């Protein structure tokens, strides 16, 4: 049964969606009775009473393979009330009949479309491929709901009735429309938080040391554009603002309530807010999930009240939020720092760190459009904020400080969309192992604790910052400078040492510092000191003056030989640094008046002055203290630009794969350790469409000889065991066996060696294969991260895979773009291209196998670990042979759990 979950309606309010239960009968009957005659006729084809057995069926979701009803509830007058219901009923093995009804007071809020989306998802999980509906031809609203779902629809009229069929396999358009609807609804739901028309501080205090007093004072000092109310039962006025005993006593409903009350009072205050039409909450109060199980249970009650009342909430246990928009001027936090309005948005999972970042942003003169301390993320998360900021005209760059991922798959989907328009810079803390389970495969052993995060950010175009300082520096570069159009960097300096460090950092980051052409050198030679080095870096030498810098900067930046410019200046002697910075700015302005408008310029200012040059700040040229810093920042922005300009890629389907048959095989093998027997592994891979060499599993000495004779000598004989990972170390591999006697000898040696170690029972038999030559040995694997789900690995294979560690990871599902990238990212890619006479590998076959493996583990969740090692990547057109494989499925105990 699907668990209860929350949805955001088109108007930004929220509601609970859950399967029906027999105890819902009175509420379902009340819902049906409230429907208008027209709505009842459209849903039940009758204007009178609905038969009791039909009401009973709507309350039975015990067998979702036959019938499922979803109920949407909203709390009204303190009690949950059904506002919509949708059902599917099995019509045949692949088709389910669907029907919906929405409370007349909630039409136009997108509930019908949301129900179709949910029902379609749940139906596909039960094996249905089509939804079918029959309706009266005048039911235009329901026809529009089905059309808007994005699924391919077919309509057929019969008199005054119409049949409509939705194809659930055509999901790309449906997903795109669902994403758009979610984006619009989420943005609408967050407007009362970040653009409220009125605010109430509940728990405002007369004590200057209390957070409730401090928050009200800062809210007023920030200059909020709108009414502010204080709620305090023991005061008539606070800081010049009228005070009221409860929020129910306010003269008008407010958009936003900030709660600074004791923990045990929060739930009752939320009830008051719901009763008076408050749209959003910021819960500063702590003592919830962060303090243990009791607090977690209380937080779940809090979330249920908030969501079922149609509100959104930031927190609990948070610093608050800010909006620098001059039309809002909202500081609903207890931060004394309220940075100037700017075009950078920030979300932080740490309140204390949020305070530090706000202070640093103010020092760096980095303006913020909005800041949200999400606290425990009970409701509003960074994912929600990303969707809001995607459509916020006042935000150009998004910064995220993350300590965990609540829903990494949703993050990936949203970040990939947002990143095509606006850069996302994220700092992810907590680089610690996710668990202590001993690795049962090469893939699990190779997956470092942070592999999933790196893979996720790489796939979604998120720019990863290693430190808070780098996060803010990246923001300054991205908000003030254009993205580099390529990887070529020009460097102008007056000191060789810093220039070398800068050039080295550029090269390490994937940038190029190309030597300038003879024509460019000749041009520069007439403009700069005679002793200058003009290759790139352009070293103007220590005696260079302001005019030398101006001419060099303008000339190099104008050139079509570079895509970006780094200016290094080291203070030498008694040079007027103000004149120097003015000249550099003039050079940049002169070049940008021409063809260099879209080239970024970064500077390194190595002087005794504490502050960056005013001229550069005024001209928005980011200035740094050390020469490696601009190079590292530029390299990350260049990688982001390259990601943004590439096609996103698509996730292919494989209709030739019988997933039902594979699932049955996996469930039949869910015993013991969960590792499949060698013959079951071979069968599964053949069902998947993988190519395996001739041979198979032999369970006796005679079977091994017979199999060897059939495949042809020489052969390889390998131990088959569900528990022994490293066969070579156990003496379980015998190669180049040329006759039956050698095969018998190998069998006996393996059996005796295991028996001597007390492990004879671990031998399932041997795998016999012909000896293979040629090709490059690679590995493909899957391990299951407890948060991110399946991770696909690719790298050089063979017995040295863990020593070489030449492996890259991706989070599933893989797109064709991901598969192409991961193959080309390993250091051993030169071997796959063809190296020193060795033929190139069949890259298309490798990419296809990677995509099939991704499809397998995405659609068959029973598979939790997989190793294909080695896979022989043969010459182009000859494919890829899976020589050895191990697959682990969930055990019977895990499946029940």
């Amino acid at each position: 049964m699907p668990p209860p979950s929350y949805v955001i309606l088109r108007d930004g309010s929220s509601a609970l969606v859950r399967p029906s239960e027999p105890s819902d009968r009175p509420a379902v009957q009340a819902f049906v009775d409230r429907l208008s005659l027209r709505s009842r006729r459209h849903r039940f084809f009758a204007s009178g009473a609905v038969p009791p057995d039909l009401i009973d069926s709507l309350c039975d979701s015990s067998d979702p393979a036959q019938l499922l009803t979803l109920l949407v509830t909203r709390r009204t007058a303190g009690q949950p009330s059904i506002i919509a219901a949708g059902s599917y009923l099995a019509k045949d093995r692949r088709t389910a009949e669907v029907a919906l009804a929405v409370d007349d007071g909630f039409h136009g809020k997108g509930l019908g479309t949301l129900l179709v989306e949910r029902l379609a998802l749940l139906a596909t999980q039960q094996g249905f491929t089509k939804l079918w509906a029959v309706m009266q031809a005048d039911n235009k609203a329901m026809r529009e709901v089905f059309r808007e779902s994005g699924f391919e629809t077919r309509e057929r009229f019969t008199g005054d009735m119409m049949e409509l069929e939705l194809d659930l396999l055509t999901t790309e358009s449906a997903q795109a429309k669902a994403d758009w609807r979610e984006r619009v609804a989420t943005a609408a739901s967050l407007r009362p938080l970040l653009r409220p028309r009125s605010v109430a501080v509940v728990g405002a205090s007369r004590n200057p040391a209390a957070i409730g007093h401090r928050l009200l004072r800062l809210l007023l000092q920030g200059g909020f554009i709108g009414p502010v109310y204080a709620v305090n039962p023991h005061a008539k006025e606070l800081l010049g603002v009228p005070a009221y005993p409860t929020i129910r006593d306010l003269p008008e409903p407010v958009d936003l309530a900030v709660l600074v009350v004791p923990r045990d009072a929060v739930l009752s205050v939320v009830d008051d807010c719901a009763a008076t039409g408050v749209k959003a909450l910021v819960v500063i109060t702590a003592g919830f999930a962060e303090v243990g199980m009791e607090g977690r249970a209380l937080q779940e009650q809090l979330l249920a009240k908030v969501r079922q009342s149609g509100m959104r909430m930031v927190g609990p246990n948070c610093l608050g939020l800010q909006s620098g928009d001059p039309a809002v001027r909202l500081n609903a936090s207890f931060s004394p720092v309220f940075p100037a309005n700017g075009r950078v948005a920030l979300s932080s999972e740490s309140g204390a760190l949020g305070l530090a970042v706000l202070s640093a942003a103010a020092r760096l003169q980095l303006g913020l459009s909005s800041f949200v301390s999400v606290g425990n993320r009970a409701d509003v998360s960074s994912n929600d904020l990303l969707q809001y900021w995607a459509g916020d005209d006042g935000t150009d760059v998004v910064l995220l400080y993350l300590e965990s991922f609540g829903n990494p798959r949703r993050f990936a989907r949203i970040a990939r969309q947002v990143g095509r328009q606006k850069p996302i810079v994220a700092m992810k803390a907590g680089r610690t192992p996710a668990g202590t389970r001993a690795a049962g495969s090469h893939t699990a052993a190779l997956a470092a604790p942070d592999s999933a995060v790196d893979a996720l950010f790489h796939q979604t175009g998120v720019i990863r910052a290693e430190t808070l300082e780098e996060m803010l520096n990246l923001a300054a570069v991205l908000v003030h400078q254009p993205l580099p159009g390529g990887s070529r960097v020009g460097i102008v300096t007056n000191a060789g040492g810093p220039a070398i460090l800068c050039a080295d950092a550029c090269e390490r980051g994937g940038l190029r510092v190309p030597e300038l052409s003879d024509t460019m050198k000749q041009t520069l030679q007439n403009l700069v000191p005679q002793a200058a080095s003009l290759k790139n870096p352009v070293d103007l030498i220590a005696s260079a003056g302001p005019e030398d810098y101006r001419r060099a900067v303008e000339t190099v930046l104008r050139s079509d030989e570079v895509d970006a410019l780094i200016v290094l200046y080291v203070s030498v002697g008694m040079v007027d640094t103000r004149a120097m910075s003015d000249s550099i700015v003039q050079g940049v302005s002169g070049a940008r008046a021409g063809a260099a408008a879209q080239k970024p310029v970064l500077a390194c200012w190595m002087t005794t002055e504490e502050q960056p040059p005013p001229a550069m700040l005024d001209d928005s040229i980011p200035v740094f203290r050390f020469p490696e810093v601009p190079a590292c920042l530029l390299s990350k922005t260049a990688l982001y630009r390259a990601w943004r300009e590439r096609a996103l890629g698509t996730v292919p389907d494989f209709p030739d794969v019988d997933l039902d048959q594979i699932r049955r095989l996996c469930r039949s093998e869910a015993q013991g350790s969960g590792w499949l027997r060698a013959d079951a592994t071979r069968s599964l891979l053949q069902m998947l469409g993988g190519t395996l060499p001739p041979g198979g599993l032999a369970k006796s000495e005679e079977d091994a000889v017979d199999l060897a004779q059939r495949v042809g000598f020489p052969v390889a004989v390998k131990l088959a065991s569900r528990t022994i990972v490293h066969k070579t170390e156990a003496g379980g591999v015998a190669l180049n066996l040329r006759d039956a006697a050698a095969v018998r000898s190998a069998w006996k040696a393996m059996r005796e060696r295991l028996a001597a170690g007390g492990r004879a029972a671990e031998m399932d038999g041997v795998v016999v294969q012909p000896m293979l030559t040629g090709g490059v040995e690679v590995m493909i694997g899957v391990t299951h991260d407890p948060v991110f789900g399946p991770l696909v690995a690719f790298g050089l294979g063979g017995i040295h895979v863990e020593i070489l560690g030449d492996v890259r990871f991706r989070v599933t599902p893989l797109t064709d773009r991901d598969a192409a990238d991961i193959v080309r990212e390993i250091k051993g890619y030169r071997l796959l291209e063809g190296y020193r006479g060795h033929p190139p590998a069949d890259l298309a076959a490798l990419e296809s196998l990677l995509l099939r493996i991704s499809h397998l583990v995405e659609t068959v969740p029973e598979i939790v670990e997989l190793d294909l090692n080695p896979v022989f990547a043969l010459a182009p057109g000859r494919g890829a042979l899976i020589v050895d494989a191990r697959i682990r499925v969930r055990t019977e105990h895990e499946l029940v759990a």
Side-chain angles (χ1 to χ4, degrees):
M1 290 287 289
S5 60
Y6 293 101
V7 292
I8 308 299
L9 279 56
R10 191 175 293 155
D11 64 356
S13 64
S14 58
L16 179 71
V17 180
R18 61 173 178 81
S20 64
E21 300 174 351
S23 60
D24 291 316
R25 198 190 190 291
V28 171
Q29 183 69 64
F31 166 68
V32 172
D33 292 343
R34 283 198 316 273
L35 293 175
S36 66
L37 293 179
R38 180 182 178 85
S39 294
R40 201 178 307 166
R41 179 171 61 84
H42 281 160
R43 170 62 179 87
F44 300 105
F45 303 107
S47 299
V50 177
D53 59 336
L54 182 51
I55 297 293
D56 291 339
S57 70
L58 294 176
C59 303
D60 182 9
S61 298
S62 58
D63 184 7
Q66 292 298 317
L67 170 66
L68 177 69
T69 295
L70 293 179
L71 303 178
V72 184
T73 65
R74 169 75 67 78
R75 189 173 291 272
T76 305
Q79 296 297 321
S81 176
I82 298 173
I83 59 174
S87 306
Y88 70 68
L89 171 68
K91 185 170 181 281
D92 55 46
R93 186 168 173 267
R94 294 296 183 187
T95 307
E97 181 178 358
V98 63
L100 313 170
V102 177
D103 186 298
D104 291 82
F106 285 85
H107 285 182
K109 297 184 185 296
L111 276 169
T113 309
L114 286 169
L115 278 171
V116 169
E117 288 175 9
R118 294 297 175 97
L119 290 168
L121 173 63
L122 296 170
T124 56
Q125 291 175 355
Q126 298 298 327
F128 296 109
T129 60
K130 289 182 173 59
L131 290 182
W132 176 85
V134 59
M135 64 189 72
Q136 291 160 332
D138 67 343
N139 193 350
K140 295 180 180 179
M142 198 53 60
R143 290 171 62 190
E144 189 63 24
V145 164
F146 288 123
R147 288 172 179 169
E148 282 298 309
S149 69
F151 293 105
E152 182 179 319
T153 61
R154 287 178 288 278
E155 297 178 351
R156 184 167 67 88
F157 288 90
T158 307
D160 61 349
M161 303 298 289
M162 183 185 73
E163 293 182 32
L164 190 145
E165 189 176 82
L166 274 70
D167 185 353
L168 302 184
L169 298 180
T170 56
T171 58
E172 188 171 340
S173 172
Q175 185 62 59
K177 289 198 172 185
D179 290 346
W180 178 82
R181 285 191 292 269
E182 181 187 18
R183 225 166 27 245
V184 170
T186 301
S189 75
L190 298 190
R191 284 192 194 102
L193 282 162
L194 290 165
R195 301 186 67 86
R197 293 167 297 180
S198 52
V199 179
V201 178
V202 185
S205 174
R206 290 177 292 190
N207 180 1
I211 290 180
H213 182 94
R214 182 179 176 184
L215 197 144
L216 178 61
R217 175 170 50 82
L218 292 170
L219 177 61
L220 295 170
Q221 288 176 353
F224 174 65
I225 310 297
V228 175
Y229 299 99
V231 175
N232 182 319
H234 307 296
K236 296 294 185 183
E237 177 268 339
L238 283 170
L239 297 174
V241 173
Y244 299 86
T246 73
I247 203 163
R248 293 176 184 261
D249 300 309
L250 297 185
E252 62 175 345
V254 294
D255 281 351
L256 175 64
V258 184
L259 276 54
V260 200
V261 298
R263 185 187 76 162
D264 293 343
V266 168
L267 296 185
S268 63
V269 171
V270 170
D271 286 337
D272 290 344
C273 291
T276 55
V278 172
K279 294 183 174 65
L281 304 172
V282 173
V283 181
I284 304 293
T285 308
F288 290 88
E290 78 278 7
V291 299
M293 294 304 296
E294 179 188 354
R296 182 174 295 279
L298 190 63
Q299 181 168 300
E300 289 173 359
Q301 294 179 52
L302 169 62
L303 178 62
K305 283 180 176 289
V306 169
R307 282 293 187 90
Q308 290 188 41
S309 300
M311 297 184 287
R312 298 305 307 267
M313 173 182 67
V314 168
N317 182 36
C318 71
L319 172 67
L321 55 81
Q322 298 178 344
S323 175
D325 187 332
V328 181
R329 296 294 300 167
L330 174 69
N331 183 8
S333 76
F334 55 93
S335 167
V337 181
F338 190 19
N341 183 46
R343 307 195 64 80
V344 178
L346 168 65
S347 167
S348 174
E349 291 186 15
S350 165
L353 187 135
L355 278 170
V357 174
L358 289 175
S359 298
R363 286 197 307 273
L364 295 171
Q365 300 184 36
L366 183 66
L368 299 184
S369 60
S370 50
F371 159 72
V372 181
S373 163
V374 293
N376 290 0
R377 295 180 296 124
D379 178 24
V380 173
S381 67
S382 297
N383 290 345
D384 297 314
L385 292 166
L386 275 176
Q387 293 192 311
Y388 176 84
W389 286 325
D392 179 23
D393 293 337
T395 297
D396 290 337
V397 179
V398 176
L399 305 183
L400 304 176
Y401 172 75
L402 305 171
E403 292 180 349
S404 61
F405 285 95
N407 187 337
R409 286 174 175 256
R410 183 171 178 245
F411 175 87
R413 180 166 47 83
I414 295 169
R416 190 178 282 113
Q417 295 166 351
V418 176
R420 307 300 280 189
Q421 314 162 46
K422 302 177 182 183
I424 302 168
V425 181
M427 181 181 175
K428 170 65 175 66
R431 299 190 175 205
T432 56
T436 56
R437 181 179 63 84
S441 66
H442 294 299
T443 309
L446 288 162
D450 221 31
S451 298
V453 178
D454 279 336
L456 183 68
F457 286 173
H458 182 96
Q459 288 169 261
T460 56
V462 174
I463 305 171
R464 185 164 195 174
E466 301 299 328
T467 64
L468 288 174
E469 180 182 27
E470 185 178 58
M471 183 171 74
L472 291 171
N473 286 342
L474 280 163
V477 171
L478 290 164
V479 81
H480 292 310
Q481 296 294 312
L483 293 170
S487 61
R488 303 168 302 166
V489 180
I491 300 173
V492 174
T493 182
N494 68 338
I500 294 171
L501 295 174
C502 183
D504 287 346
C506 286
E507 297 283 350
R508 283 195 302 272
L511 300 173
R512 294 187 297 122
V513 184
E515 182 173 348
L516 299 178
S517 66
D518 290 341
T519 302
M520 178 57 59
K521 290 176 188 175
Q522 185 61 48
T523 301
L524 285 169
Q525 195 169 27
N526 298 325
L527 300 173
V528 300
Q530 188 173 1
S533 173
L534 306 178
K535 293 182 178 181
N536 193 21
V538 176
D539 186 353
L540 302 177
I541 67 173
S543 61
E547 187 60 17
D548 297 319
Y549 257 99
R550 185 194 66 76
R551 289 193 291 251
V553 165
E554 182 172 347
T555 303
V556 175
L557 188 58
R558 277 181 181 272
S559 165
D560 60 3
E561 298 179 25
V562 301
D563 303 301
L565 178 67
I566 297 176
V567 182
L568 309 177
Y569 173 69
V570 180
S571 179
V572 180
M574 300 298 293
V575 176
D576 182 351
T577 56
R578 178 62 180 265
M580 185 64 73
S581 65
D582 288 347
S583 292
I584 292 172
V585 169
Q586 290 167 14
V588 172
S589 299
R592 285 185 169 165
Q598 296 305 311
K599 294 182 183 180
V601 178
L602 282 67
C604 171
W605 201 253
M606 303 179 72
T607 70
T608 57
E609 299 164 353
E610 289 295 324
Q611 297 297 323
M616 291 190 176
L617 289 179
D618 293 342
D619 205 58
S620 300
I621 298 174
V623 180
F624 307 99
R625 304 293 286 178
F626 299 101
E628 302 93 340
V629 175
C632 294
L633 299 174
L634 200 56
S635 66
K636 292 193 173 187
T637 61
L639 286 172
Y640 166 69
R641 170 70 177 260
W643 174 85
R644 196 164 82 168
E645 290 188 340
R646 292 186 313 175
L648 279 176
T650 58
V651 178
D653 193 16
F654 294 94
D656 60 314
V657 178
D658 189 337
L659 295 171
D660 289 339
Q661 188 178 2
I662 290 176
R663 289 190 191 99
R664 287 194 294 271
L665 183 151
C666 290
R667 286 185 171 268
S668 69
E669 293 283 322
Q671 54 191 342
S673 65
W675 289 101
L676 299 186
R677 292 173 291 109
D679 53 346
T681 297
R682 187 177 180 88
S683 296
L684 189 154
L685 292 172
Q686 288 172 333
M687 293 179 204
L688 183 65
T691 305
L692 292 87
L697 176 67
K699 296 185 178 181
S700 69
E701 180 180 325
E702 293 305 320
D703 286 346
V705 171
D706 180 61
L707 198 52
Q709 289 172 336
R710 279 191 280 126
V711 303
F713 294 101
V715 297
V717 171
K718 304 174 186 177
L719 173 67
S721 171
R722 283 171 284 182
T723 56
I724 299 173
V725 179
H726 303 290
K727 292 187 284 290
T728 304
E729 295 175 8
V733 178
L735 303 176
N736 208 32
L737 305 181
R738 297 188 171 277
D739 51 38
V743 172
R744 293 180 188 277
S745 177
W747 171 279
K748 291 175 182 176
M750 289 180 194
R751 186 180 58 190
E752 291 169 359
R753 189 174 291 108
L754 290 173
R759 306 183 70 178
E762 298 182 54
M763 182 175 180
D764 297 330
V766 296
V767 173
V768 179
Q769 296 172 332
M771 287 297 297
L772 301 172
T773 59
V776 179
E777 290 187 40
V778 299
M779 64 84 65
I780 294 173
V782 175
T783 187
H784 196 278
D785 184 275
V787 176
F788 291 81
L791 293 181
V792 173
F794 176 80
L796 289 183
I799 61 173
H800 303 306
V801 59
E802 290 180 26
I803 296 174
L804 296 173
D806 187 15
V807 177
R808 294 293 182 272
F809 288 86
R810 289 291 186 273
V811 178
T812 61
L814 267 63
T815 65
D816 51 0
R817 179 76 262 173
D818 293 329
D821 284 349
I822 196 173
V823 168
R824 288 158 179 78
E825 282 178 12
I826 65 171
K827 296 175 184 176
Y829 176 61
R830 292 180 66 189
L831 295 175
L832 299 175
E833 288 184 297
Y835 185 70
R836 292 191 175 179
H838 195 287
D842 192 334
L843 299 180
L846 287 177
E847 292 167 21
S848 175
L849 183 55
L850 280 162
L851 291 168
R852 285 179 178 271
I853 292 296
S854 171
H855 180 68
L856 172 70
V857 297
E858 274 285 300
T859 51
V860 185
E862 290 85 354
I863 296 174
V864 293
E865 208 164 335
L866 176 150
D867 256 349
L868 309 183
N869 181 35
V871 174
F872 276 30
L874 304 177
R878 294 186 57 196
L881 277 180
I882 303 170
V883 178
D884 205 350
R886 283 169 56 81
I887 299 174
R888 187 173 76 85
V889 299
R890 298 184 196 277
T891 63
E892 291 177 345
H893 172 73
E894 291 173 313
L895 287 169
V896 171

